[in-house]
Every structure is written in C-alpha cells, then in structure tokens.
C-alpha cells in the first residue's frame, strides 16, 4: 500500500500544482458505470508500479477504493475534491 500512496502523490502533484496536466500514456481504460460518468484509465511499468487516472462527473468530490476482495472493509480508499473557495484536497486512507 505504501507504493500506492507514493504513486498517487506523484501522479496528482504535477496535475494539481503545475497548472498544466501531465498526461501519462495509459494503455487500459473502461467506464465504471452504465451512464458513462466514471472513466478509469490505468497502466503499469516494468516494476509493476500502477498508474491510475480517474475522470468523474461530480459535484465537487470523489472517492475511489482498492480492494483485493471487492468489498469496502479492509480496502484502501482515495478521496479528493475541491472546496468552494477553489482549493484542492486529497487524502489516502
């Protein structure tokens, strides 16, 4: 899990702080819902380090979980969003 935290920080830091999005080459993608409002792209490198991009039509926040068994208990969760004043928050638990 510590590798996931580092990866997510590296992925989102350039996107949120530089003012210009970094678009990594991600070879796999799918919509996660029937309304096509949640779009996930991902890939991995030769060291099996995973990279993710999540595009969501949202009202200001999104949560995404990683689980080896497909259930909430024991999963790793990423939460991010935008406060009304425009500042961005990001948390991994």
């Amino acid at each position: 899990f510590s590798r996931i935290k580092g990866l997510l920080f590296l992925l989102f830091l350039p996107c949120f702080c530089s003012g210009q999005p970094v678009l990594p080459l991600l070879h796999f993608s799918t919509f996660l819902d029937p309304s096509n409002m949640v779009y996930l792209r991902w890939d991995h490198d030769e060291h099996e380090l995973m990279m993710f991009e999540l595009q969501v039509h949202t009202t200001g926040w999104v949560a995404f979980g990683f689980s080896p068994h497909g259930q909430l208990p024991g999963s790793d969760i990423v939460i991010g969003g935008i406060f009304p004043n425009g500042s961005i928050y990001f948390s991994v638990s």
Side-chain angles (χ1 to χ4, degrees), residues 28-86:
F28 306 100
S29 65
T30 189
F31 284 99
L32 298 179
D33 67 316
S35 300
N36 293 344
M37 298 196 58
V38 181
Y39 184 62
L40 177 66
R41 294 177 53 213
W42 72 97
D43 208 344
H44 60 88
D45 65 13
E46 64 276 0
H47 304 290
E48 298 184 13
L49 189 63
M50 298 291 298
M51 294 172 280
F52 295 93
E53 176 185 290
L54 187 63
Q55 298 177 13
V56 181
H57 293 273
T58 178
T59 58
W61 67 275
V62 65
F64 189 75
F66 300 88
S67 170
H69 46 73
Q71 298 179 352
L72 184 59
S75 64
D76 299 319
I77 300 173
V78 178
I79 301 170
I82 302 173
F83 288 116
N85 67 3

Side-chain angles (χ1 to χ4, degrees), residues 3-15:
R3 289 178 61 179
I4 291 175
K5 282 186 181 179
L7 168 68
L8 292 172
F9 180 75
L10 290 174
L11 267 179
F12 287 105
L13 182 63
C15 294

